[in-house]
Amino acid sequence: MERHILKTNGLKKIYMMGKVETPALSGVDITVKKGEFVALMGPSGSGKTTFLNLTGMLDNPTDGKIHIDGFDISALKESKKSLFRLEKLGFIFQFFNLFPELTALENVYLPMMLKGIKKKDYISRAEELLDLVGLKKRMRHYPAELSGGEQQRVTIARALSNSPALILADEPTANLDSTTAAEIMELFREINKQGETIFMVTHEKEFGEKADRIIKLKDGLVVN
Ligand SMILES: Nc1ncnc2c1ncn2[C@@H]1O[C@H](COP(=O)(O)OP(=O)(O)O)[C@@H](O)[C@H]1O
Ligand SMILES: [Mg+2]
């Protein structure tokens, strides 16, 4: 049987602002299999970021279920969520979200350090990952000393550091020029070929088409 890394059933999110209800997701069923590279597309306001935030356990659904790597995440206690997130998920955001006071190398090994991996092991793995994303020569640099594309490469290396079951990316190329964006998409393809499962939100058709499969959202519903 093929393994589902991500599976949502009837996922709903209604934002409440005072007495005003904004439905953002209205019953979304999405599955992602191990090793797949899936792009979630749709117009602004269709619910893409909401879907990613729920899957990334940064917010709770109003209704419905999310399974990640076979685990029902709604059943996890709050206190267990951050460890689960650290072990199962790798995040790549639109704004690179690196710690400015840490070097590229330190940013990449931080999740492994938090997980309790031995120092000599996390340093050598971080170096390997920075080599994989083509940044070994820049590993002692701080984020401010790196270009946008280089910062995003560091973020990708960091996302890979704990060998996550699923990589979640929200508009990873939105703040990059088109040449750099295309290079970052090539890197996504590369790491996918090496076996990583990737779920990426984008509104750029040419990048969505780099994925194995496109899922379209409109008004909080899948419309394929
Ligand atoms: N924190 C929030 N509070 C209230 N409404 C929100 C919030 N976040 C998103 N929304 C609304 O939910 C809908 C989906 O938003 P979002 O998931 O950000 O869409 P997308 O990422 O596809 O542009 C929109 O109508 C948006 O205005
Ligand atoms: Mg969005």
Side-chain angles (χ1 to χ4, degrees):
M1 199 185 82
E2 274 184 301
R3 234 169 101 207
H4 287 141
I5 292 294
L6 173 64
K7 187 168 172 36
T8 72
N9 293 97
L11 196 63
K12 290 188 185 165
K13 179 69 181 179
I14 300 170
Y15 291 106
M16 297 290 294
M17 298 178 73
K19 284 184 179 154
V20 183
E21 294 189 353
T22 307
L25 296 176
S26 303
V28 172
D29 301 328
I30 283 177
T31 55
V32 177
K33 293 184 205 115
K34 188 171 168 55
E36 260 195 313
F37 179 6
V38 174
L40 181 67
M41 302 194 66
S44 177
S46 57
K48 305 182 298 296
T49 295
T50 300
F51 184 86
L52 214 64
N53 287 346
L54 296 180
T55 304
M57 306 164 73
L58 304 169
D59 197 2
N60 294 314
T62 307
D63 197 11
K65 287 245 175 271
I66 304 171
H67 284 84
I68 294 173
D69 204 19
F71 292 89
D72 175 356
I73 62 172
S74 64
L76 282 174
K77 287 196 193 118
E78 280 304 319
S79 60
K80 295 265 192 268
K81 280 189 180 171
S82 54
L83 185 62
F84 186 86
R85 206 186 286 122
L86 188 65
E87 289 188 335
K88 296 287 184 188
L89 299 174
F91 291 93
I92 298 163
F93 298 100
Q94 178 175 346
F95 305 100
F96 318 117
N97 292 69
L98 295 168
F99 290 104
E101 72 280 16
L102 299 181
T103 64
L105 185 71
E106 291 162 347
N107 266 287
V108 173
Y109 71 54
L110 186 66
M112 296 187 276
M113 194 174 102
L114 292 173
K115 202 177 150 184
I117 290 170
K118 272 192 254 154
K119 186 167 183 183
K120 118 176 163 327
D121 296 337
Y122 67 61
I123 289 179
S124 65
R125 169 126 174 102
E127 286 176 359
E128 250 174 61
L129 288 166
L130 283 162
D131 195 21
L132 173 77
V133 300
L135 268 190
K136 196 157 190 193
K137 285 190 184 143
R138 299 270 186 284
M139 67 186 187
R140 306 280 171 199
H141 288 235
Y142 290 90
E145 301 164 348
L146 298 169
S147 69
E150 288 171 339
Q151 289 183 54
Q152 199 58 307
R153 287 171 188 274
V154 177
T155 312
I156 293 168
R158 182 179 60 184
L160 291 169
S161 64
N162 275 337
S163 310
L166 177 65
I167 291 182
L168 297 174
D170 194 3
E171 305 271 5
T173 57
N175 290 297
L176 301 174
D177 65 75
S178 58
T179 310
T180 310
E183 286 167 10
I184 292 294
M185 285 318 307
E186 278 313 308
L187 183 56
F188 270 65
R189 278 241 60 95
E190 194 62 37
I191 62 175
N192 172 246
K193 251 192 256 157
Q194 297 190 10
E196 299 295 335
T197 310
I198 304 174
F199 188 82
M200 172 183 76
V201 165
T202 181
H203 65 260
E204 285 163 292
K205 196 157 175 281
E206 91 179 270
F207 297 136
E209 283 164 356
K210 292 276 178 196
D212 301 328
R213 182 156 67 91
I214 293 175
I215 297 173
K216 288 197 179 123
L217 269 191
K218 189 164 184 274
D219 298 330
L221 286 169
V222 175
V223 290
N224 280 23

